[in-house]
Amino acid sequence: MSDNKQVVADIDHSMYDFKDVENERDFYRLQEGLTEETVLKVSEEKNDPEWMRDFRLKCLKLYNDIKIPDWGPSIEGLDMDKISSYVRHKSDMKGSWEEVPEDIKNTFERLGIPQAERESLAGVGAQYDSELVYHNVKDEVAAQGVIYTDLESALRSEYADMIKEHFMKLVPPTDHKFAALHGAVWSGGSFVYVPKGVKVEIPLQSYFRLNAAGAGQFEHTLIIVDEGADLHFIEGCSAPKYNVANLHAGCVELFVGKNARLRYSTIENWSKNMYNLNTKRAIVEENGRMEWVSGSFGSHTSYLYPMTILKGDNSQMEFTGITFAGKGQNLDTGAKVVHQGKHTSSVISTKSISKDGGIGTYRSSVVIQKSAKKAKASVSCDSLMLDSISRADTIPGMDIRTNDADVGHEAKIGRISDEAVFYLMSRGISEEDAKAMIVSGFANPVSKELPLEYAVEMNNLIKLEMSGNM
Amino acid sequence: MNKDINMKVNVLPVLTYNFLHVNDSTLNAGDITIDSLSTPVESVISDEIEVKRDVTFEEAGEIFRANKEKILKTTGVPGIPNGDMSYRDEKQALRTGMGIDIDELMIATNVKAVVYTVPENVKTDKPIVIRYDLANGQGSLSSQVVHARKNSEVTVIMEYSSEKDATGFHGVSTRLLAEEGARITLVKVQLLGNGFVHFDDIGGACFEKGQIDLVSLELGAKKSWTGCYTNLVEKESVFNSNMGYLCRDDHSLDINYVSDHRGKKTEALMQFKGVLMDNASKTFRGTIDFKNGSSGSVGDEQEDALLLSEDVVNKTMPVILCQEEDVDGRHGATIGQLGEDILFYMQTRGIDEEEAKRIIIKARLESVARMIPDPEIMQKVLYYIQGIV
């Protein structure tokens, strides 16, 4: 067999990397830096209720007190004094696509969002910098009683109490430094409520675009899926590349009721100047089921570990994730699960690809509390190294406090196997195609979990071109 | 001993979430009482082996210091994983599993080491057997260096025991160097009483085709720490490790094993089989670290933990660090209680649940005990296992 190596192309970010110049006439931009004054300014812009303003100030204090984690990738390049926490277009959020300002509309048209809405979604929310610019939900879904709106509107609606009851209760601002930061300057994001027994047949989607240079996006997504209800929510993120650091410190809180099911899919393709310090957490009641599908392709630095608390008996969680760390990227991703209820089960399955000097770290924790009798947890993480200048590290942790549990863990790290290439070649497939097929197959467990349109997007995103000899 | 100074030991090579409390362990200075340096009973040692006694800890480490550049040499590009802690122990003459705080303890307490040097091409049939029979209330430390020169072979068996309910403190540091083609088999058997505090710190380096085989049984002591860091320095060097452990009552066991692959086509196979009962707790850290340049290397780490009480605490951190494309690294962990199918099988043969558990515990520990190359010590361990199960 030839020793010549195949080249696996880096992810092509060009389709996401167009910039729209934001001028002062159309955009409001808060001064860079994080002070009590800037936090109060955000609160004023948002017309917060009093409790929210006080909450923001409390979070700012926590942010200043909590240390940066000592275990993750370096975030030295992130200087909060150079980040604007709030940038918005001067027009209001629209419920009709035609009314969205032309420049923003163009951006989302190029990303294919309106087309996706027409073809395959029950509702769409589009956030541009710090604010939602468009929100719409199909009439038939709204008729079922499903609420899908921006969080700010929800805060001033009949759901205000429900939001106050749930907002940052699952991810308290004391959790870590960037949860506190989020609490202080959060803006935008969606609120979804699916009433009891309602099954939303086609997915809802929020798309987050951070267009401004040197800015932060801090959207908050709050989803409550009531008893027996069912929802698939899709989240997409992208940004053009700038020479200055951008920050994404969003927060996702998901409440899955008794017998309910929620699937939360993410295709994250932030640009390579982005520090993605996002927090996602779900709590699942009795017989409920939480499914995560996560693709991490972009960002300069990522800390991303969606967490699930299996509170109710017989509750379940499944996490399927893929991370592609290319040149200049340090992506520290994984999942966390806490088993509290009896007969709970979790399956974590991840794939990681490292190339061109990229650092891909899989990090996880499985905690089985004493109350979680008959719990079952299974973790499987595979890493593929495409060259010897990259890193693929696997750092899983397990803390088991009952004997009446069954925990299995396996991890593999390696390269494209010569035997597999040889096998395929013996069936008449060229070496190039064989290798391409193997790498696509490696990513397949994730793409098959996505709706077709998104699987295609992911495959485009990976663009694992096997082009000639090196 | 200054009771205000606690030692940070068994530091994970890369840090992770602090809430898991696995990044390191604290050896409480209050647990350390040293009234003597251990005076073990040694078997008759082959004349061919050179034995130097009363060597200071630092002097004994000279052989590693002289080879430090070679041991730490990376042929490829050095890379830093997230949460890297490797800088912490870089002043050690030879990096060990428990880390620099143990070296400092040995130096501060003026421990005298024994250095066993096996000359080139000497292959000793008879193992060096070192027995520590510790008295109730005794506190002691000891240190050894085993240096196997080119193409030599040596087996060292160390056994620590005391009366069943004895209390005390015992700490050991064992450092190994297997030169080109040399092979060291190290066996550690810990059968200390229920009140003992014990630590066993091991460091090893293998040059080209050098091999270290480690068999260890951690069966006694109230609090126990064990760490082993093996540097697979040059091509085709090998580290094999088999550990069996039993934690019962309120005992705790803290483990930190690392295989550091730098040479090409190196191999590490680490297997851990254990049983936790009563209120026992155990933390296991196992790391396979493929450095850039270690192409063709294989690392496999398997943990099988049987949990037999609802009050046990089991923490497991199986880590793989990789900066090399052409490697094969894997780890697996199976943690849980006795499988219902095994129990059912046993019951169909008239064996009740309690008896079935005893059989399984014995089988698990005996599978490691039977690797002890000294029949007398192996028999003693088998009796010990029989006595407690």
Side-chain angles (χ1 to χ4, degrees):
Chain A
M1 189 172 300
S2 157
D3 281 341
N4 293 339
K5 290 186 177 177
Q6 300 304 133
V7 175
V8 178
D10 219 345
I11 291 171
D12 181 3
H13 289 262
S14 60
M15 71 172 284
Y16 304 92
D17 194 21
F18 52 86
K19 301 178 177 88
D20 295 298
V21 179
E22 296 185 351
N23 56 53
E24 281 182 27
R25 192 193 62 207
D26 293 336
F27 284 87
Y28 169 81
R29 183 185 174 105
L30 190 65
Q31 196 187 344
E32 285 75 7
L34 190 68
T35 61
E36 190 171 311
E37 195 190 344
T38 50
V39 170
L40 285 171
K41 194 76 191 158
V42 172
S43 182
E44 188 186 314
E45 280 289 326
K46 315 289 303 172
N47 196 15
D48 277 342
E50 200 180 327
W51 69 267
M52 184 59 85
R53 190 196 59 206
D54 295 346
F55 179 78
R56 287 182 189 274
L57 291 173
K58 191 182 108 188
C59 291
L60 175 66
K61 190 175 178 316
L62 283 167
Y63 171 78
N64 289 326
D65 291 346
I66 300 173
K67 286 184 184 158
I68 289 171
D70 53 1
W71 43 263
S74 166
I75 47 173
E76 271 178 6
L78 180 67
D79 181 354
M80 281 309 292
D81 290 338
K82 292 181 180 157
I83 297 280
S84 170
S85 308
Y86 186 76
V87 182
R88 72 166 165 83
H89 197 277
K90 287 181 179 167
S91 78
D92 296 333
M93 190 187 73
K94 307 296 179 192
S96 148
W97 190 245
E98 283 67 37
E99 295 169 39
V100 173
E102 203 61 32
D103 45 351
I104 296 177
K105 198 156 64 179
N106 285 341
T107 300
F108 286 110
E109 292 278 1
R110 288 168 77 172
L111 292 166
I113 304 304
Q115 190 193 352
E117 181 188 6
R118 282 190 297 274
E119 290 174 1
S120 57
L121 296 170
V124 156
Q127 177 158 341
Y128 195 87
D129 295 336
S130 298
E131 292 291 357
L132 264 293
V133 292
Y134 171 69
H135 230 290
N136 189 32
V137 61
K138 283 193 173 160
D139 292 345
E140 56 268 38
V141 177
Q144 287 179 296
V146 175
I147 306 300
Y148 179 36
T149 179
D150 64 301
L151 201 56
E152 287 85 347
S153 303
L155 257 176
R156 287 185 288 272
S157 72
E158 59 192 293
Y159 296 96
D161 288 344
M162 190 188 269
I163 291 171
K164 190 175 176 185
E165 191 189 327
H166 291 89
F167 184 83
M168 293 206 81
K169 293 295 191 299
L170 200 49
V171 181
T174 46
D175 210 67
H176 57 85
K177 193 173 183 72
F178 295 94
L181 173 66
H182 176 89
V185 294
W186 78 270
S187 173
S190 300
F191 169 65
V192 182
Y193 173 70
V194 186
K196 272 186 188 173
V198 171
K199 297 195 189 307
V200 184
E201 300 292 341
I202 46 175
L204 299 178
Q205 181 182 9
S206 280
Y207 199 93
F208 302 101
R209 174 77 175 175
L210 179 53
N211 200 64
Q217 194 171 60
F218 307 98
E219 86 289 350
H220 194 97
T221 304
L222 177 60
I223 299 178
I224 301 169
V225 184
D226 216 328
E227 202 175 315
D230 192 309
L231 174 71
H232 183 186
F233 190 87
I234 301 172
E235 175 192 68
C237 330
S238 73
K241 187 174 182 188
Y242 293 102
N243 291 326
V244 293
N246 272 18
L247 168 64
H248 176 234
C251 180
V252 175
E253 295 183 288
L254 310 173
F255 296 84
V256 182
K258 199 171 163 183
N259 297 316
R261 184 191 79 120
L262 171 60
R263 171 170 282 218
Y264 195 93
S265 302
T266 307
I267 303 274
E268 177 269 299
N269 187 32
W270 295 116
S271 58
K272 289 185 179 178
N273 57 318
M274 180 68 87
Y275 285 80
N276 184 29
L277 313 172
N278 209 8
T279 312
K280 298 179 179 182
R281 196 162 297 169
I283 188 162
V284 190
E285 304 292 339
E286 195 179 332
N287 287 318
R289 182 174 170 82
M290 179 68 218
E291 298 168 356
W292 302 91
V293 182
S294 177
S296 295
F297 299 95
S299 300
H300 174 273
T301 299
S302 258
Y303 280 72
L304 183 64
Y305 325 97
M307 177 176 180
T308 312
I309 299 165
L310 295 172
K311 184 183 167 208
D313 292 351
N314 300 307
S315 55
Q316 298 175 359
M317 177 282 244
E318 190 175 330
F319 179 92
T320 311
I322 188 163
T323 299
F324 191 118
K327 191 174 182 179
Q329 293 182 283
N330 188 339
L331 307 185
D332 202 299
T333 60
K336 297 194 269 192
V337 61
V338 178
H339 290 251
Q340 289 179 344
K342 295 186 190 76
H343 293 276
T344 47
S345 75
S346 66
V347 178
I348 298 174
S349 170
T350 66
K351 305 277 179 184
S352 159
I353 302 168
S354 304
K355 80 173 285 274
D356 244 0
I359 301 174
T361 304
Y362 166 77
R363 192 185 297 277
S364 68
S365 73
V366 173
V367 176
I368 307 227
Q369 294 184 348
K370 205 169 177 177
S371 54
K373 304 293 176 207
K374 306 272 181 223
K376 279 188 179 173
S378 155
V379 180
S380 157
C381 44
D382 290 353
S383 302
L384 193 60
M385 286 281 285
L386 295 182
D387 56 46
S388 284
I389 53 168
S390 306
R391 285 201 70 91
D393 298 330
T394 307
I395 311 173
M398 285 161 271
D399 182 343
I400 297 143
R401 287 165 189 264
T402 176
N403 64 323
D404 197 1
D406 190 355
V407 181
H409 173 94
E410 58 177 58
K412 282 198 290 269
I413 210 153
R415 62 169 182 167
I416 296 176
S417 128
D418 287 344
E419 287 79 8
V421 174
F422 179 74
Y423 174 83
L424 290 169
M425 286 172 72
S426 72
R427 264 122 191 96
I429 296 165
S430 75
E431 187 177 341
E432 274 178 39
D433 288 349
K435 289 192 174 176
M437 202 179 276
I438 291 163
V439 177
S440 300
F442 184 76
N444 192 46
V446 183
S447 55
K448 78 178 171 55
E449 293 296 328
L450 290 165
L452 185 63
E453 299 79 3
Y454 298 90
V456 170
E457 189 199 343
M458 197 186 98
N459 282 336
N460 282 337
L461 201 57
I462 298 176
K463 256 197 169 173
L464 297 165
E465 294 166 8
M466 315 297 279
S467 56
N469 295 323
M470 199 148 61
Chain B
M1 196 74 207
N2 185 342
K3 307 246 180 210
D4 296 331
I5 303 168
N6 294 330
M7 294 192 292
K8 196 185 260 194
V9 296
N10 280 355
V11 177
L12 197 63
V14 286
L15 299 181
T16 192
Y17 311 124
N18 291 304
F19 72 86
L20 286 172
H21 300 289
V22 291
N23 285 330
D24 54 56
S25 179
T26 302
L27 183 49
N28 197 322
D31 283 333
I32 302 175
T33 49
I34 302 157
D35 50 32
S36 65
L37 300 177
S38 307
T39 44
V41 178
E42 259 180 13
S43 60
V44 178
I45 296 170
S46 159
D47 291 343
E48 291 170 307
I49 297 173
E50 183 192 319
V51 183
K52 263 173 92 178
R53 299 184 194 277
D54 288 330
V55 185
T56 65
F57 186 83
E58 281 169 300
E59 221 181 303
E62 267 313 310
I63 182 68
F64 303 106
R65 224 168 271 117
N67 284 289
K68 198 164 179 178
E69 208 173 304
K70 185 173 178 175
I71 292 170
L72 297 180
K73 191 180 163 196
T74 306
T75 53
V77 186
I80 299 171
N82 294 335
D84 179 45
M85 287 302 287
S86 60
Y87 62 89
R88 191 176 181 274
D89 295 330
E90 65 190 14
K91 284 189 180 155
Q92 284 190 284
L94 175 71
R95 201 167 165 182
T96 60
M98 291 185 69
I100 194 163
D101 284 18
I102 296 298
D103 284 15
E104 286 174 356
L105 174 72
M106 295 285 170
I107 293 162
T109 50
N110 200 22
V111 165
K112 295 287 188 282
V114 183
V115 180
Y116 304 89
T117 306
V118 190
E120 274 185 41
N121 301 315
V122 168
K123 297 185 178 176
T124 53
D125 295 337
K126 246 174 50 181
I128 301 170
V129 181
I130 308 167
R131 289 180 167 185
Y132 296 84
D133 193 6
L134 299 163
N136 188 25
Q138 189 179 352
S140 58
L141 287 169
S142 74
S143 169
Q144 311 77 30
V145 167
V146 180
H147 177 191
R149 292 191 189 276
K150 284 180 190 172
N151 299 317
S152 65
E153 275 182 23
V154 65
T155 296
V156 180
I157 302 173
M158 298 171 72
E159 181 216 324
Y160 325 109
S161 56
S162 71
E163 290 294 323
K164 191 178 157 212
D165 294 317
T167 59
F169 167 76
H170 186 236
V172 189
S173 159
T174 307
R175 292 174 289 177
L176 314 168
L177 177 60
E179 287 191 11
E180 288 81 353
R183 185 169 178 171
I184 299 172
T185 303
L186 177 66
V187 180
K188 298 251 185 180
V189 178
Q190 189 264 100
L191 310 172
L192 289 168
N194 290 331
F196 255 89
V197 173
H198 178 259
F199 75 74
D200 205 335
D201 187 24
I202 304 167
C206 299
F207 295 162
E208 190 175 330
K209 293 187 180 171
Q211 179 164 343
I212 292 175
D213 294 324
L214 174 62
V215 176
S216 58
L217 279 143
E218 289 282 343
L219 302 176
K222 181 183 173 66
K223 291 182 190 173
S224 188
W225 287 263
T226 178
C228 178
Y229 194 107
T230 309
N231 294 276
L232 297 171
V233 178
E234 291 184 315
K235 69 175 183 184
E236 294 176 39
S237 51
V238 176
F239 174 55
N240 282 317
S241 165
N242 280 282
M243 177 188 273
Y245 61 83
L246 174 68
C247 287
R248 58 208 160 98
D249 301 331
D250 58 347
H251 297 177
S252 67
L253 173 62
D254 196 277
I255 305 166
N256 187 35
Y257 270 49
V258 183
S259 67
D260 184 340
H261 301 250
R262 290 168 191 270
K264 290 187 194 313
K265 295 185 180 175
T266 54
E267 269 182 46
L269 174 61
M270 298 186 270
Q271 297 207 63
F272 302 84
K273 286 183 191 174
V275 181
L276 273 85
M277 301 162 77
D278 310 322
N279 292 297
S281 62
K282 182 221 78 187
T283 300
F284 164 73
R285 303 173 197 81
T287 303
I288 298 168
D289 186 357
F290 293 114
K291 295 266 179 13
N292 193 213
S294 64
S295 58
S297 293
V298 178
D300 190 350
E301 162 193 3
Q302 299 294 332
E303 202 212 1
D304 191 354
L306 181 61
L307 314 181
L308 291 180
S309 149
E310 61 176 33
D311 298 318
V312 296
V313 175
N314 179 84
K315 294 186 185 184
T316 297
M317 279 299 308
V319 175
I320 302 182
L321 307 175
C322 180
Q323 205 200 349
E324 179 57 57
E325 177 196 6
D326 178 17
V327 293
D328 183 0
R330 56 188 68 213
H331 56 67
T334 313
I335 302 155
Q337 59 185 346
L338 211 53
E340 282 177 13
D341 47 346
I342 293 177
L343 271 181
F344 178 74
Y345 176 84
M346 296 276 201
Q347 280 164 357
T348 59
R349 271 136 189 86
I351 301 164
D352 67 20
E353 189 173 334
E354 283 310 303
E355 183 58 22
K357 279 182 186 171
R358 270 193 290 276
I359 291 169
I360 298 291
I361 298 169
K362 267 178 68 184
R364 210 166 256 251
L365 299 175
E366 283 180 12
S367 67
V368 182
R370 289 189 192 282
M371 294 176 186
I372 301 170
D374 180 285
E376 194 189 331
I377 294 179
M378 184 176 79
Q379 209 54 51
K380 184 174 174 180
V381 173
L382 295 179
Y383 281 136
Y384 184 92
I385 293 168
Q386 200 145 17
I388 52 175
V389 175

